[in-house]
Amino acid sequence: MTPRTAGSARSARGAASAFRHRYGASPLHLLLVLASFALAVYAGIRLLNGDTLGVAIWFVGAALVHDLLLLPLYSLTDRAAQRLLPGPHPSGGSTPRPSINHLRVPGFISGLLLLVWWPLILQQGGHYTAYTALPSDGFLTRWLLITAGLFIGSAAAFLIGTWVRLRPRRRRIRAQARARKATK
């Protein structure tokens, strides 16, 4: 490498470092953020091209339903689940136990599936069969099976994680018991 190319490489690294210091992230991050804004603007233009008033009413209604109905509902549900799993956080402090996430994650995914597919789950699909040539029955059963599978998988992950985390403690207790037995 010649001294001239080494100097230009150093200045390029210096410029990237200065950009990262001022912006807080890499130039690639800025590029991806700008691309996502461009995609959102494109989607907004396409969405508002047809029924602008209907979309605005739907958006405001969805925000109101979320803030006035759903947020208090899932906040109360989360508090109730935290009361079911009593005890302090393993590291101390007042934050909830990490095991609560084994209820939150499958509950969130199940709720999201219900939100997306509720007309078909509640058998209010309308013209679903006419549009898709697929039967509209069985969505409730499938959603219940998926929900059960999510909670069973989460419970299995919790039990395996607890077993792995407690294995060194069990070994230490067995070693102490053998040491006591050997000294008798």
Side-chain angles (χ1 to χ4, degrees), residues 9-54:
R10 246 180 291 155
S11 66
R13 280 195 303 264
S17 177
F19 179 83
R20 182 182 294 270
H21 179 70
R22 291 181 66 89
Y23 176 66
S26 71
L28 178 62
H29 179 268
L30 178 62
L31 180 67
L32 291 175
V33 168
L34 292 174
S36 68
F37 281 144
L39 182 64
V41 166
Y42 171 75
I45 290 170
R46 293 289 305 241
L47 182 67
L48 295 175
N49 194 15
D51 184 18
T52 306
L53 182 64

mmCIF file of all heavy atoms in Angstrom, residues 9-54:
data_model
loop_
_atom_site.group_PDB
_atom_site.id
_atom_site.type_symbol
_atom_site.label_atom_id
_atom_site.label_comp_id
_atom_site.label_asym_id
_atom_site.label_seq_id
_atom_site.Cartn_x
_atom_site.Cartn_y
_atom_site.Cartn_z
ATOM 1 N N ALA A 9 -7.248 5.984 3.098
ATOM 2 C CA ALA A 9 -8.006 4.987 3.865
ATOM 3 C C ALA A 9 -8.221 5.474 5.285
ATOM 4 O O ALA A 9 -9.297 5.309 5.861
ATOM 5 C CB ALA A 9 -7.279 3.649 3.864
ATOM 6 N N ARG A 10 -7.163 6.081 5.878
ATOM 7 C CA ARG A 10 -7.292 6.626 7.234
ATOM 8 C C ARG A 10 -8.308 7.749 7.286
ATOM 9 O O ARG A 10 -9.115 7.852 8.200
ATOM 10 C CB ARG A 10 -5.937 7.125 7.723
ATOM 11 C CG ARG A 10 -5.420 6.306 8.879
ATOM 12 C CD ARG A 10 -4.099 6.811 9.327
ATOM 13 N NE ARG A 10 -3.165 6.483 8.247
ATOM 14 C CZ ARG A 10 -2.048 7.093 7.982
ATOM 15 N NH1 ARG A 10 -1.637 8.072 8.722
ATOM 16 N NH2 ARG A 10 -1.278 6.753 6.992
ATOM 17 N N SER A 11 -8.315 8.615 6.274
ATOM 18 C CA SER A 11 -9.269 9.730 6.273
ATOM 19 C C SER A 11 -10.690 9.221 6.060
ATOM 20 O O SER A 11 -11.640 9.781 6.605
ATOM 21 C CB SER A 11 -8.897 10.760 5.216
ATOM 22 O OG SER A 11 -9.035 10.212 3.924
ATOM 23 N N ALA A 12 -10.849 8.160 5.277
ATOM 24 C CA ALA A 12 -12.181 7.577 5.092
ATOM 25 C C ALA A 12 -12.678 6.985 6.408
ATOM 26 O O ALA A 12 -13.844 7.138 6.763
ATOM 27 C CB ALA A 12 -12.152 6.510 4.002
ATOM 28 N N ARG A 13 -11.779 6.279 7.124
ATOM 29 C CA ARG A 13 -12.165 5.732 8.438
ATOM 30 C C ARG A 13 -12.472 6.868 9.401
ATOM 31 O O ARG A 13 -13.388 6.775 10.205
ATOM 32 C CB ARG A 13 -11.061 4.834 8.989
ATOM 33 C CG ARG A 13 -11.050 3.450 8.397
ATOM 34 C CD ARG A 13 -10.188 2.521 9.228
ATOM 35 N NE ARG A 13 -8.825 2.996 9.385
ATOM 36 C CZ ARG A 13 -7.785 2.632 8.646
ATOM 37 N NH1 ARG A 13 -7.965 1.775 7.674
ATOM 38 N NH2 ARG A 13 -6.584 3.115 8.862
ATOM 39 N N GLY A 14 -11.711 7.935 9.312
ATOM 40 C CA GLY A 14 -11.957 9.080 10.180
ATOM 41 C C GLY A 14 -13.297 9.731 9.890
ATOM 42 O O GLY A 14 -14.023 10.135 10.799
ATOM 43 N N ALA A 15 -13.669 9.820 8.609
ATOM 44 C CA ALA A 15 -14.956 10.406 8.237
ATOM 45 C C ALA A 15 -16.103 9.515 8.710
ATOM 46 O O ALA A 15 -17.111 10.003 9.238
ATOM 47 C CB ALA A 15 -15.034 10.612 6.733
ATOM 48 N N ALA A 16 -15.961 8.197 8.537
ATOM 49 C CA ALA A 16 -16.994 7.271 8.991
ATOM 50 C C ALA A 16 -17.114 7.311 10.511
ATOM 51 O O ALA A 16 -18.216 7.273 11.061
ATOM 52 C CB ALA A 16 -16.690 5.852 8.517
ATOM 53 N N SER A 17 -15.992 7.399 11.173
ATOM 54 C CA SER A 17 -16.008 7.475 12.632
ATOM 55 C C SER A 17 -16.650 8.768 13.110
ATOM 56 O O SER A 17 -17.436 8.768 14.070
ATOM 57 C CB SER A 17 -14.582 7.365 13.168
ATOM 58 O OG SER A 17 -14.572 7.502 14.562
ATOM 59 N N ALA A 18 -16.341 9.868 12.440
ATOM 60 C CA ALA A 18 -16.952 11.147 12.799
ATOM 61 C C ALA A 18 -18.456 11.105 12.544
ATOM 62 O O ALA A 18 -19.247 11.605 13.353
ATOM 63 C CB ALA A 18 -16.302 12.280 12.004
ATOM 64 N N PHE A 19 -18.868 10.490 11.411
ATOM 65 C CA PHE A 19 -20.300 10.369 11.118
ATOM 66 C C PHE A 19 -20.990 9.540 12.193
ATOM 67 O O PHE A 19 -22.047 9.905 12.688
ATOM 68 C CB PHE A 19 -20.508 9.735 9.736
ATOM 69 C CG PHE A 19 -21.954 9.559 9.394
ATOM 70 C CD1 PHE A 19 -22.677 10.616 8.879
ATOM 71 C CD2 PHE A 19 -22.593 8.355 9.609
ATOM 72 C CE1 PHE A 19 -24.027 10.472 8.565
ATOM 73 C CE2 PHE A 19 -23.932 8.196 9.304
ATOM 74 C CZ PHE A 19 -24.648 9.256 8.784
ATOM 75 N N ARG A 20 -20.388 8.398 12.550
ATOM 76 C CA ARG A 20 -20.961 7.519 13.572
ATOM 77 C C ARG A 20 -21.059 8.248 14.904
ATOM 78 O O ARG A 20 -22.046 8.114 15.613
ATOM 79 C CB ARG A 20 -20.130 6.253 13.722
ATOM 80 C CG ARG A 20 -20.701 5.273 14.737
ATOM 81 C CD ARG A 20 -19.818 4.054 14.900
ATOM 82 N NE ARG A 20 -19.767 3.242 13.712
ATOM 83 C CZ ARG A 20 -20.605 2.238 13.440
ATOM 84 N NH1 ARG A 20 -21.570 1.974 14.279
ATOM 85 N NH2 ARG A 20 -20.481 1.538 12.359
ATOM 86 N N HIS A 21 -20.054 9.054 15.230
ATOM 87 C CA HIS A 21 -20.061 9.788 16.495
ATOM 88 C C HIS A 21 -21.170 10.829 16.513
ATOM 89 O O HIS A 21 -21.875 10.980 17.506
ATOM 90 C CB HIS A 21 -18.698 10.447 16.733
ATOM 91 C CG HIS A 21 -18.629 11.247 17.988
ATOM 92 N ND1 HIS A 21 -18.639 10.659 19.233
ATOM 93 C CD2 HIS A 21 -18.588 12.587 18.190
ATOM 94 C CE1 HIS A 21 -18.602 11.613 20.149
ATOM 95 N NE2 HIS A 21 -18.560 12.787 19.531
ATOM 96 N N ARG A 22 -21.340 11.544 15.403
ATOM 97 C CA ARG A 22 -22.363 12.600 15.359
ATOM 98 C C ARG A 22 -23.772 12.027 15.211
ATOM 99 O O ARG A 22 -24.705 12.504 15.840
ATOM 100 C CB ARG A 22 -22.070 13.557 14.212
ATOM 101 C CG ARG A 22 -20.832 14.399 14.446
ATOM 102 C CD ARG A 22 -20.585 15.344 13.288
ATOM 103 N NE ARG A 22 -21.605 16.364 13.154
ATOM 104 C CZ ARG A 22 -21.562 17.544 13.765
ATOM 105 N NH1 ARG A 22 -20.552 17.823 14.559
ATOM 106 N NH2 ARG A 22 -22.520 18.419 13.571
ATOM 107 N N TYR A 23 -23.938 11.007 14.375
ATOM 108 C CA TYR A 23 -25.260 10.442 14.097
ATOM 109 C C TYR A 23 -25.665 9.433 15.172
ATOM 110 O O TYR A 23 -26.835 9.313 15.496
ATOM 111 C CB TYR A 23 -25.277 9.809 12.703
ATOM 112 C CG TYR A 23 -26.561 9.126 12.352
ATOM 113 C CD1 TYR A 23 -27.745 9.848 12.203
ATOM 114 C CD2 TYR A 23 -26.615 7.753 12.153
ATOM 115 C CE1 TYR A 23 -28.924 9.221 11.876
ATOM 116 C CE2 TYR A 23 -27.793 7.119 11.824
ATOM 117 C CZ TYR A 23 -28.947 7.855 11.685
ATOM 118 O OH TYR A 23 -30.115 7.227 11.367
ATOM 119 N N GLY A 24 -24.719 8.689 15.678
ATOM 120 C CA GLY A 24 -25.011 7.690 16.704
ATOM 121 C C GLY A 24 -25.122 6.280 16.162
ATOM 122 O O GLY A 24 -25.319 5.338 16.918
ATOM 123 N N ALA A 25 -25.048 6.122 14.853
ATOM 124 C CA ALA A 25 -25.114 4.799 14.229
ATOM 125 C C ALA A 25 -24.375 4.869 12.898
ATOM 126 O O ALA A 25 -23.892 5.932 12.496
ATOM 127 C CB ALA A 25 -26.561 4.376 14.020
ATOM 128 N N SER A 26 -24.318 3.746 12.218
ATOM 129 C CA SER A 26 -23.566 3.688 10.965
ATOM 130 C C SER A 26 -24.349 4.347 9.830
ATOM 131 O O SER A 26 -25.566 4.526 9.915
ATOM 132 C CB SER A 26 -23.280 2.230 10.610
ATOM 133 O OG SER A 26 -24.480 1.598 10.209
ATOM 134 N N PRO A 27 -23.666 4.680 8.739
ATOM 135 C CA PRO A 27 -24.360 5.229 7.566
ATOM 136 C C PRO A 27 -25.397 4.256 6.996
ATOM 137 O O PRO A 27 -26.421 4.674 6.465
ATOM 138 C CB PRO A 27 -23.236 5.486 6.561
ATOM 139 C CG PRO A 27 -22.005 5.621 7.384
ATOM 140 C CD PRO A 27 -22.207 4.728 8.576
ATOM 141 N N LEU A 28 -25.153 2.960 7.130
ATOM 142 C CA LEU A 28 -26.120 1.966 6.670
ATOM 143 C C LEU A 28 -27.435 2.109 7.436
ATOM 144 O O LEU A 28 -28.518 1.977 6.858
ATOM 145 C CB LEU A 28 -25.545 0.553 6.839
ATOM 146 C CG LEU A 28 -26.471 -0.587 6.429
ATOM 147 C CD1 LEU A 28 -26.807 -0.487 4.942
ATOM 148 C CD2 LEU A 28 -25.836 -1.923 6.757
ATOM 149 N N HIS A 29 -27.358 2.394 8.731
ATOM 150 C CA HIS A 29 -28.567 2.603 9.530
ATOM 151 C C HIS A 29 -29.370 3.778 8.983
ATOM 152 O O HIS A 29 -30.597 3.692 8.828
ATOM 153 C CB HIS A 29 -28.194 2.839 10.997
ATOM 154 C CG HIS A 29 -29.367 3.073 11.878
ATOM 155 N ND1 HIS A 29 -29.854 4.327 12.149
ATOM 156 C CD2 HIS A 29 -30.155 2.202 12.545
ATOM 157 C CE1 HIS A 29 -30.903 4.220 12.947
ATOM 158 N NE2 HIS A 29 -31.103 2.937 13.209
ATOM 159 N N LEU A 30 -28.697 4.876 8.695
ATOM 160 C CA LEU A 30 -29.375 6.046 8.139
ATOM 161 C C LEU A 30 -30.027 5.706 6.804
ATOM 162 O O LEU A 30 -31.171 6.094 6.540
ATOM 163 C CB LEU A 30 -28.390 7.207 7.975
ATOM 164 C CG LEU A 30 -28.964 8.477 7.354
ATOM 165 C CD1 LEU A 30 -30.064 9.066 8.226
ATOM 166 C CD2 LEU A 30 -27.857 9.487 7.126
ATOM 167 N N LEU A 31 -29.331 4.967 5.951
ATOM 168 C CA LEU A 31 -29.874 4.572 4.660
ATOM 169 C C LEU A 31 -31.128 3.717 4.828
ATOM 170 O O LEU A 31 -32.136 3.927 4.145
ATOM 171 C CB LEU A 31 -28.808 3.817 3.856
ATOM 172 C CG LEU A 31 -29.223 3.335 2.472
ATOM 173 C CD1 LEU A 31 -29.458 4.541 1.562
ATOM 174 C CD2 LEU A 31 -28.174 2.421 1.895
ATOM 175 N N LEU A 32 -31.096 2.765 5.760
ATOM 176 C CA LEU A 32 -32.259 1.908 5.991
ATOM 177 C C LEU A 32 -33.434 2.692 6.573
ATOM 178 O O LEU A 32 -34.590 2.448 6.208
ATOM 179 C CB LEU A 32 -31.883 0.743 6.902
ATOM 180 C CG LEU A 32 -30.953 -0.288 6.289
ATOM 181 C CD1 LEU A 32 -30.540 -1.329 7.319
ATOM 182 C CD2 LEU A 32 -31.619 -0.962 5.105
ATOM 183 N N VAL A 33 -33.172 3.636 7.460
ATOM 184 C CA VAL A 33 -34.245 4.471 8.010
ATOM 185 C C VAL A 33 -34.883 5.305 6.918
ATOM 186 O O VAL A 33 -36.115 5.406 6.820
ATOM 187 C CB VAL A 33 -33.716 5.355 9.162
ATOM 188 C CG1 VAL A 33 -34.709 6.424 9.543
ATOM 189 C CG2 VAL A 33 -33.375 4.508 10.371
ATOM 190 N N LEU A 34 -34.070 5.907 6.057
ATOM 191 C CA LEU A 34 -34.610 6.707 4.955
ATOM 192 C C LEU A 34 -35.408 5.840 3.978
ATOM 193 O O LEU A 34 -36.460 6.265 3.483
ATOM 194 C CB LEU A 34 -33.494 7.450 4.232
ATOM 195 C CG LEU A 34 -32.812 8.563 5.040
ATOM 196 C CD1 LEU A 34 -31.625 9.129 4.272
ATOM 197 C CD2 LEU A 34 -33.804 9.650 5.402
ATOM 198 N N ALA A 35 -34.940 4.619 3.719
ATOM 199 C CA ALA A 35 -35.676 3.708 2.836
ATOM 200 C C ALA A 35 -37.011 3.316 3.460
ATOM 201 O O ALA A 35 -38.029 3.235 2.759
ATOM 202 C CB ALA A 35 -34.841 2.468 2.539
ATOM 203 N N SER A 36 -37.038 3.101 4.769
ATOM 204 C CA SER A 36 -38.304 2.736 5.410
ATOM 205 C C SER A 36 -39.280 3.910 5.400
ATOM 206 O O SER A 36 -40.483 3.723 5.230
ATOM 207 C CB SER A 36 -38.064 2.232 6.834
ATOM 208 O OG SER A 36 -37.622 3.279 7.659
ATOM 209 N N PHE A 37 -38.774 5.135 5.554
ATOM 210 C CA PHE A 37 -39.646 6.309 5.450
ATOM 211 C C PHE A 37 -40.202 6.434 4.031
ATOM 212 O O PHE A 37 -41.380 6.758 3.844
ATOM 213 C CB PHE A 37 -38.909 7.588 5.846
ATOM 214 C CG PHE A 37 -38.784 7.782 7.317
ATOM 215 C CD1 PHE A 37 -37.645 8.346 7.846
ATOM 216 C CD2 PHE A 37 -39.794 7.420 8.196
ATOM 217 C CE1 PHE A 37 -37.510 8.549 9.211
ATOM 218 C CE2 PHE A 37 -39.679 7.611 9.557
ATOM 219 C CZ PHE A 37 -38.533 8.177 10.067
ATOM 220 N N ALA A 38 -39.368 6.197 3.044
ATOM 221 C CA ALA A 38 -39.834 6.269 1.656
ATOM 222 C C ALA A 38 -40.912 5.213 1.401
ATOM 223 O O ALA A 38 -41.934 5.504 0.752
ATOM 224 C CB ALA A 38 -38.662 6.077 0.694
ATOM 225 N N LEU A 39 -40.734 4.015 1.920
ATOM 226 C CA LEU A 39 -41.729 2.958 1.768
ATOM 227 C C LEU A 39 -43.029 3.330 2.489
ATOM 228 O O LEU A 39 -44.124 3.109 1.964
ATOM 229 C CB LEU A 39 -41.181 1.632 2.301
ATOM 230 C CG LEU A 39 -42.102 0.435 2.169
ATOM 231 C CD1 LEU A 39 -42.368 0.123 0.703
ATOM 232 C CD2 LEU A 39 -41.499 -0.762 2.876
ATOM 233 N N ALA A 40 -42.929 3.921 3.677
ATOM 234 C CA ALA A 40 -44.124 4.335 4.417
ATOM 235 C C ALA A 40 -44.868 5.438 3.675
ATOM 236 O O ALA A 40 -46.103 5.433 3.622
ATOM 237 C CB ALA A 40 -43.729 4.802 5.812
ATOM 238 N N VAL A 41 -44.153 6.389 3.095
ATOM 239 C CA VAL A 41 -44.800 7.459 2.328
ATOM 240 C C VAL A 41 -45.498 6.865 1.102
ATOM 241 O O VAL A 41 -46.644 7.219 0.798
ATOM 242 C CB VAL A 41 -43.773 8.544 1.924
ATOM 243 C CG1 VAL A 41 -44.327 9.474 0.865
ATOM 244 C CG2 VAL A 41 -43.332 9.315 3.144
ATOM 245 N N TYR A 42 -44.833 5.946 0.414
ATOM 246 C CA TYR A 42 -45.447 5.286 -0.750
ATOM 247 C C TYR A 42 -46.714 4.539 -0.342
ATOM 248 O O TYR A 42 -47.754 4.657 -0.996
ATOM 249 C CB TYR A 42 -44.443 4.334 -1.402
ATOM 250 C CG TYR A 42 -45.047 3.460 -2.466
ATOM 251 C CD1 TYR A 42 -45.371 3.977 -3.714
ATOM 252 C CD2 TYR A 42 -45.304 2.116 -2.206
ATOM 253 C CE1 TYR A 42 -45.935 3.179 -4.692
ATOM 254 C CE2 TYR A 42 -45.879 1.312 -3.171
ATOM 255 C CZ TYR A 42 -46.198 1.839 -4.403
ATOM 256 O OH TYR A 42 -46.762 1.050 -5.368
ATOM 257 N N ALA A 43 -46.643 3.778 0.749
ATOM 258 C CA ALA A 43 -47.816 3.034 1.211
ATOM 259 C C ALA A 43 -48.934 3.981 1.626
ATOM 260 O O ALA A 43 -50.113 3.723 1.361
ATOM 261 C CB ALA A 43 -47.427 2.122 2.379
ATOM 262 N N GLY A 44 -48.580 5.091 2.277
ATOM 263 C CA GLY A 44 -49.590 6.071 2.666
ATOM 264 C C GLY A 44 -50.282 6.695 1.470
ATOM 265 O O GLY A 44 -51.506 6.884 1.467
ATOM 266 N N ILE A 45 -49.516 7.022 0.451
ATOM 267 C CA ILE A 45 -50.104 7.603 -0.764
ATOM 268 C C ILE A 45 -51.036 6.602 -1.429
ATOM 269 O O ILE A 45 -52.153 6.944 -1.839
ATOM 270 C CB ILE A 45 -48.995 8.076 -1.723
ATOM 271 C CG1 ILE A 45 -48.289 9.302 -1.135
ATOM 272 C CG2 ILE A 45 -49.554 8.379 -3.107
ATOM 273 C CD1 ILE A 45 -47.038 9.700 -1.880
ATOM 274 N N ARG A 46 -50.604 5.358 -1.523
ATOM 275 C CA ARG A 46 -51.446 4.314 -2.130
ATOM 276 C C ARG A 46 -52.696 4.057 -1.304
ATOM 277 O O ARG A 46 -53.778 3.856 -1.844
ATOM 278 C CB ARG A 46 -50.662 3.017 -2.277
ATOM 279 C CG ARG A 46 -49.518 3.030 -3.260
ATOM 280 C CD ARG A 46 -50.011 3.092 -4.681
ATOM 281 N NE ARG A 46 -50.926 2.022 -4.959
ATOM 282 C CZ ARG A 46 -50.755 1.090 -5.860
ATOM 283 N NH1 ARG A 46 -49.677 1.108 -6.596
ATOM 284 N NH2 ARG A 46 -51.642 0.156 -6.060
ATOM 285 N N LEU A 47 -52.561 4.060 0.029
ATOM 286 C CA LEU A 47 -53.684 3.795 0.914
ATOM 287 C C LEU A 47 -54.716 4.912 0.852
ATOM 288 O O LEU A 47 -55.920 4.669 0.806
ATOM 289 C CB LEU A 47 -53.187 3.613 2.349
ATOM 290 C CG LEU A 47 -54.223 3.287 3.404
ATOM 291 C CD1 LEU A 47 -54.798 1.902 3.153
ATOM 292 C CD2 LEU A 47 -53.613 3.354 4.780
ATOM 293 N N LEU A 48 -54.241 6.151 0.846
ATOM 294 C CA LEU A 48 -55.149 7.291 0.857
ATOM 295 C C LEU A 48 -55.673 7.657 -0.525
ATOM 296 O O LEU A 48 -56.468 8.583 -0.659
ATOM 297 C CB LEU A 48 -54.451 8.500 1.488
ATOM 298 C CG LEU A 48 -54.094 8.328 2.962
ATOM 299 C CD1 LEU A 48 -53.296 9.519 3.451
ATOM 300 C CD2 LEU A 48 -55.330 8.109 3.808
ATOM 301 N N ASN A 49 -55.266 6.930 -1.554
ATOM 302 C CA ASN A 49 -55.680 7.213 -2.916
ATOM 303 C C ASN A 49 -57.166 6.935 -3.111
ATOM 304 O O ASN A 49 -57.824 7.614 -3.885
ATOM 305 C CB ASN A 49 -54.859 6.388 -3.901
ATOM 306 C CG ASN A 49 -55.011 6.873 -5.325
ATOM 307 O OD1 ASN A 49 -55.486 7.972 -5.557
ATOM 308 N ND2 ASN A 49 -54.596 6.047 -6.260
ATOM 309 N N GLY A 50 -57.716 5.968 -2.403
ATOM 310 C CA GLY A 50 -59.122 5.603 -2.588
ATOM 311 C C GLY A 50 -60.028 6.347 -1.628
ATOM 312 O O GLY A 50 -60.413 7.497 -1.856
ATOM 313 N N ASP A 51 -60.367 5.721 -0.531
ATOM 314 C CA ASP A 51 -61.321 6.247 0.444
ATOM 315 C C ASP A 51 -60.564 6.940 1.575
ATOM 316 O O ASP A 51 -60.344 6.379 2.643
ATOM 317 C CB ASP A 51 -62.167 5.093 0.974
ATOM 318 C CG ASP A 51 -63.249 5.550 1.920
ATOM 319 O OD1 ASP A 51 -63.578 6.748 1.907
ATOM 320 O OD2 ASP A 51 -63.756 4.705 2.675
ATOM 321 N N THR A 52 -60.178 8.172 1.378
ATOM 322 C CA THR A 52 -59.360 8.901 2.344
ATOM 323 C C THR A 52 -60.094 9.087 3.668
ATOM 324 O O THR A 52 -59.529 8.850 4.735
ATOM 325 C CB THR A 52 -58.957 10.271 1.782
ATOM 326 O OG1 THR A 52 -58.331 10.075 0.524
ATOM 327 C CG2 THR A 52 -58.008 10.990 2.715
ATOM 328 N N LEU A 53 -61.352 9.479 3.625
ATOM 329 C CA LEU A 53 -62.116 9.697 4.847
ATOM 330 C C LEU A 53 -62.316 8.396 5.615
ATOM 331 O O LEU A 53 -62.178 8.357 6.840
ATOM 332 C CB LEU A 53 -63.469 10.340 4.525
ATOM 333 C CG LEU A 53 -64.345 10.651 5.734
ATOM 334 C CD1 LEU A 53 -63.650 11.691 6.618
ATOM 335 C CD2 LEU A 53 -65.712 11.145 5.290
ATOM 336 N N GLY A 54 -62.596 7.315 4.903
ATOM 337 C CA GLY A 54 -62.766 6.010 5.550
ATOM 338 C C GLY A 54 -61.492 5.546 6.231
ATOM 339 O O GLY A 54 -61.526 5.019 7.348
#
